[in-house]
Amino acid sequence: MQKILGGLRKACQAYNLIEDGDKIAVGLSGGKDSLTLLAALKKYQAFCDKKFELVAISIDLSGGKSDYSEIANFCKDLGVEFYLENSNVFEIIFDIRKEKNPCSLCANMRRGLVNSKAKALGCNKLALGHHRDDLIETFLISLFFEGRLSTFKPKSYLSRVDLTVIRPLIFCTEDEIIKVSKDFPVLKNLCPADKHTQRENAKQILSTLEKSYPHCKEKIFNALIHSERYNLFDKIN
């Protein structure tokens, strides 16, 4: 957990992610990343020089088919208030609309639900568990599948809902998260598209590249977070 806390602290200081008086909602999917984020933020809260509140929000996309009891107990043990919102997102996407590429719509619907709950609870920030590998994978997804040079930011302000999204694990690797989350109550993913997504394809591409070009993930990451290294056209006349 020390490595995770070190990375989290570095991100918070580098991007001013947490400020005095913040009420932060942690988007708790039940996966290893969001559980690690919540546990790390709770530890960080104890020694951070900024005073902030934490709550956890889960969205049950399966319409009540998932068992969140262990997640609720995990939050209780940490001393964090837990809120569970039921939804029929999976039914809408897979049964009613029969989406062939469901991930984008699912993400939008899930974000809308968690944003609304966060605002209803009086939160001004939403913390998500995206880590370093997610940043790189999102860049590859945008490049190979959308023809764009794009990825998410450590800190983004959503003007439509007056909510700031922060990603405190941006400097942490997936391997580091796997090590600390072994004893966490990771929720089984009931999504029918699990392991059959563009993100999974991006993971495979990176794995292949890493074998041929060791440390290439680290170089991609450094290129993304250091804007002074960009050398792209602004506009072609």
Side-chain angles (χ1 to χ4, degrees):
M1 182 59 82
Q2 286 304 114
K3 272 197 170 183
I4 297 295
L5 281 171
L8 183 145
R9 186 174 189 173
K10 180 180 178 181
C12 287
Q13 292 176 344
Y15 302 110
N16 194 30
L17 300 185
I18 295 178
E19 300 165 282
D20 269 322
D22 281 344
K23 185 172 183 180
I24 303 172
V26 178
L28 200 61
S29 67
K32 66 183 188 312
D33 305 332
S34 60
L35 291 172
T36 298
L37 173 61
L38 181 62
L41 279 173
K42 186 61 183 178
K43 286 184 178 293
Y44 185 58
Q45 190 182 40
F47 64 84
C48 179
D49 60 349
K50 309 290 176 61
K51 303 302 178 185
F52 61 94
E53 297 180 57
L54 285 174
V55 297
I57 301 172
S58 288
I59 308 296
D60 185 351
L61 306 176
S62 66
K65 295 178 182 177
S66 298
D67 181 5
Y68 280 83
S69 58
E70 289 190 24
I71 302 297
N73 289 333
F74 180 79
C75 293
K76 184 178 179 180
D77 291 341
L78 288 175
V80 176
E81 288 188 73
F82 173 67
Y83 298 88
L84 176 63
E85 293 286 296
N86 284 316
S87 73
N88 59 344
V89 169
F90 283 169
E91 180 185 3
I92 293 171
I93 290 176
F94 295 106
D95 299 334
I96 298 174
R97 296 180 57 126
K98 303 184 186 302
E99 292 283 334
K100 293 182 179 179
N101 299 299
C103 295
S104 179
L105 178 59
C106 181
N108 287 335
M109 294 179 72
R110 185 175 66 249
R111 278 196 297 265
L113 290 166
V114 75
N115 289 348
S116 296
K117 185 62 178 179
K119 289 301 296 180
L121 292 172
C123 299
N124 66 310
K125 288 182 179 174
L126 172 66
L128 301 178
H130 297 126
H131 47 70
R132 191 177 80 165
D133 294 72
D134 288 326
L135 182 83
I136 300 167
E137 290 162 11
T138 301
F139 173 72
L140 288 191
I141 289 169
S142 297
L143 179 62
F144 290 132
F145 301 107
E146 300 168 2
R148 298 188 302 136
L149 293 173
S150 177
T151 191
F152 54 75
K153 298 177 181 178
K155 184 179 184 180
S156 302
Y157 176 65
L158 308 179
S159 58
R160 287 190 301 174
V161 290
D162 187 28
L163 194 66
T164 299
V165 176
I166 61 174
R167 296 175 169 91
L169 298 183
I170 198 76
F171 288 114
C172 303
T173 68
E174 187 169 25
D175 286 342
E176 290 168 349
I177 290 171
I178 289 171
K179 288 177 183 177
V180 303
S181 63
K182 287 180 178 178
D183 296 325
F184 291 170
V186 176
L187 191 68
K188 182 181 178 182
N189 192 344
L190 297 181
C191 176
D194 187 35
K195 304 300 181 185
H196 302 283
T197 63
Q198 289 181 345
R199 185 162 299 278
E200 192 63 29
N201 290 335
K203 284 182 184 291
Q204 295 302 321
I205 291 169
L206 280 169
S207 178
T208 301
L209 286 173
E210 191 74 14
K211 290 174 183 176
S212 299
Y213 307 99
H215 311 299
C216 73
K217 286 202 296 185
E218 182 178 355
K219 291 175 181 176
I220 296 171
F221 175 74
N222 286 329
L224 290 172
I225 66 169
H226 292 289
S227 57
E228 68 275 9
R229 300 184 185 184
Y230 299 170
N231 185 23
L232 300 170
F233 300 121
D234 289 327
K235 186 177 181 181
I236 300 177
N237 294 318

